[in-house]
């Protein structure tokens, strides 16, 4: 009897336990863990394992207990697309679909040249960026009154009237009790955001509006935004940070210096705005490598034009003027040569200065107008424009 138990019954019990424990173990992971494991697999050249690590990326993001960072979500889909595309065959088309999905949730997502290289995949990714950015924009459908609840789409806080490109998006709502509930949606039609909160949302609560910087969006933002840890609190953002609910015309808390009816700043903030508000303005994108390259090349050309002016133009013009003042001391051919040399020097200098100014202006405009309808696109073997109309 003991042999029968050990040979037949126990293996079946162990197999059943595996089916029960398997999903629980899988949900113990986070999107950060999946992305880190996939990066390690791609560094080892193991595309199959990278795909397996990111198989549940969407489910992990929707079930996260905190707001998922936009860049991390886009990175997960980017790496999945790269792994699938490298496998070739039918997986190549699935990889392109994953890149499209990545650009839907993170339109300003950058190609990871350090991990993925700068080959044809990069050019294809940039072409897909133009395709996705030309899609129609759909209304997120956030109600005008959400009380203390906040709605995020792909990690970015949304308000009534906001729009995003059409496609599959991660929607999350932070409810009155602080819990976060997520759902994947095409926003056609938008979900009933407030219904995602099991206990409902008190829309009569008035939330203190954060202080706004009228000039903040005019300045470019350099560098890469700091990613929030998946499952934790998102980084404070101008207009996106948590705010304290304040009852309209309600009395101030005992011991508080606030007057009745005046919104009380959130703890740890100054003048009603979070400490990290200046770090990143809502909707502002960082300068990227191609833009910095344009600024650098433009500056170099302008510097070269300045050097040419003093080392070539000034001496050649002075020589031509001196020859014109003493026509008897120089032949006709020599005078013509001096004049041609002066004109060539002037032309090269103007071309260098003009080209440098154009490149620098293009890089600066690209950084300030990342959300413009038409954007430049530069990649190895590819130069052009893409846009949406």
């Amino acid at each position: 009897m003991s042999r029968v138990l050990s040979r037949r019954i126990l293996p079946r019990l162990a197999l059943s336990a595996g089916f029960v424990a398997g999903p629980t173990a899988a949900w113990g992971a986070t999107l950060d863990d999946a992305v880190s494991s996939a990066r390690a697999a791609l560094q080892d050249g193991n595309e199959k394992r990278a795909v397996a690590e990111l198989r549940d990326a969407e489910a992990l993001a929707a079930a996260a207990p905190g707001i998922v960072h936009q860049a991390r979500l886009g990175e997960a889909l980017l790496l999945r697309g790269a792994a699938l595309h490298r496998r070739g065959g039918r997986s190549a088309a699935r990889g392109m679909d994953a890149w499209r999905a990545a650009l839907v949730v993170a339109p300003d997502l950058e190609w990871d040249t350090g991990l993925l290289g700068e080959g044809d995949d990069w050019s294809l990714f940039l072409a897909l960026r133009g395709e996705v950015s030309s899609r129609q924009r759909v209304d997120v459908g956030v109600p005008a009154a959400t009380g203390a609840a906040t709605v995020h789409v792909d990690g970015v806080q949304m308000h009534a009237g906001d729009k995003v490109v059409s496609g599959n998006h991660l929607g999350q709502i932070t409810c009155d009790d602080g819990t976060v509930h997520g759902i994947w949606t095409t926003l056609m039609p938008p979900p009933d955001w407030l219904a995602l909160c099991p206990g409902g949302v008190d829309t009569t609560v008035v939330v203190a509006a954060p202080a706004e910087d009228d000039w903040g969006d005019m300045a470019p933002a350099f560098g890469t935004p700091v990613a929030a840890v998946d499952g934790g609190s998102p980084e404070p953002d101008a207009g996106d940070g948590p705010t304290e609910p304040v009852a309209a015309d309600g009395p101030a808390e005992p011991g508080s210096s606030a007057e009745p009816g005046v919104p009380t700043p959130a703890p740890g903030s100054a003048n009603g705005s979070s400490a990290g508000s200046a770090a990143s303005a809502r909707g502002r994108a960082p300068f990227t490598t191609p833009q910095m390259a344009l600024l650098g090349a433009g500056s170099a050309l302008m510097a070269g034009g300045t050097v040419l002016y003093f080392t070539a133009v000034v001496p050649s013009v002075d020589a031509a003027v001196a020859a014109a003042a003493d026509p008897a001391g120089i032949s006709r051919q020599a005078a013509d040569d001096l004049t041609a040399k002066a004109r060539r020097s002037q032309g090269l200098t103007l071309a260098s200065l003009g080209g440098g100014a154009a490149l620098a202006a293009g890089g600066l405009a690209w950084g300030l107008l990342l959300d413009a309808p038409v954007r430049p696109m530069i990649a190895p073997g590819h130069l052009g424009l893409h846009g949406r109309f």
Side-chain angles (χ1 to χ4, degrees):
M1 180 65 182
S2 59
R3 291 183 178 179
V4 173
L5 180 63
S6 60
R7 291 182 179 179
R8 297 184 179 181
I9 300 179
L10 290 180
R12 293 181 182 179
L13 291 175
L15 183 61
S16 300
F19 280 114
V20 173
T24 304
W27 286 109
T30 65
L31 188 62
D32 282 337
D33 296 333
V35 170
S36 299
S37 298
R39 292 183 67 89
L42 285 172
Q43 288 174 344
D44 295 338
N46 192 338
E47 289 82 9
K48 184 177 180 180
R49 182 163 65 88
V51 173
E53 294 290 350
L54 296 170
R55 182 179 294 113
D56 297 324
E58 288 88 350
L60 290 172
I67 301 300
V68 175
H69 196 274
Q70 183 184 43
R72 183 50 53 90
L73 182 58
E75 182 183 10
L77 298 173
L78 169 70
L79 297 181
R80 177 196 287 173
L84 287 168
H85 196 263
R86 288 181 178 181
R87 295 181 66 181
R90 290 180 295 181
S91 296
R94 293 169 54 204
M96 294 173 61
D97 289 338
W99 284 338
R100 291 186 180 95
L103 291 167
V104 165
V105 301
D108 297 319
L109 180 66
E110 291 298 321
W111 183 261
D112 191 339
T113 56
L115 177 64
L116 305 177
E118 302 180 357
D120 294 338
D121 286 358
W122 187 17
S123 298
L124 178 58
F125 177 79
L126 291 177
L128 292 175
R129 184 195 296 278
E131 173 194 315
V132 172
S133 65
S134 64
R135 294 183 181 181
Q136 66 172 340
R137 301 180 71 83
V138 296
D139 197 314
V140 176
V142 178
T146 60
T150 56
V151 175
H152 288 73
V153 173
D154 307 321
V156 179
Q157 186 173 352
M158 295 288 157
H159 304 85
D162 286 348
K163 296 183 177 182
V164 294
V165 296
S166 61
N168 205 27
H169 294 271
L170 173 65
Q172 293 176 292
I173 182 170
T174 304
C175 303
D176 292 348
D177 59 0
T179 59
V180 176
H181 301 272
I183 184 176
W184 283 93
T185 172
T186 62
L187 301 173
M188 301 176 67
D192 185 351
W193 293 107
L194 303 185
L196 296 178
C197 293
V201 174
D202 184 2
T203 57
T204 63
V205 174
V206 179
V207 178
E212 294 185 358
D213 183 2
D214 294 335
W215 300 96
D217 289 337
M218 298 297 292
F222 293 88
T224 304
V226 179
V229 177
D230 176 43
S233 300
E235 288 292 326
D237 195 16
D240 294 352
T243 53
E244 290 292 329
V246 180
D249 299 329
E253 292 292 331
S256 172
S257 61
E259 298 179 1
V262 179
T264 303
S269 64
N271 298 326
S273 61
S274 63
S277 297
S280 58
R282 179 173 176 268
R284 188 188 303 168
F287 272 33
T288 56
T289 301
Q291 296 153 19
M292 296 302 296
L294 284 178
L295 288 171
S299 300
L301 281 176
M302 293 179 68
T306 304
V307 172
L308 278 175
Y309 175 77
F310 288 104
T311 60
V313 175
V314 173
S316 61
V317 171
D318 289 345
V321 171
D326 184 19
I330 190 172
S331 65
R332 178 71 178 182
Q333 182 62 41
D336 291 341
D337 291 342
L338 286 175
T339 302
K341 181 179 180 181
R343 289 176 177 173
R344 283 196 303 270
S345 300
Q346 290 175 334
L348 287 173
T349 301
L350 290 175
S352 181
L353 290 173
L359 286 176
L364 182 61
W366 192 357
L368 295 175
L369 303 175
L370 282 176
D371 197 35
V374 179
R375 306 177 189 175
M377 181 167 58
I378 302 176
H382 188 95
L383 175 65
L385 298 172
H386 66 75
R388 59 175 183 272
F389 302 92

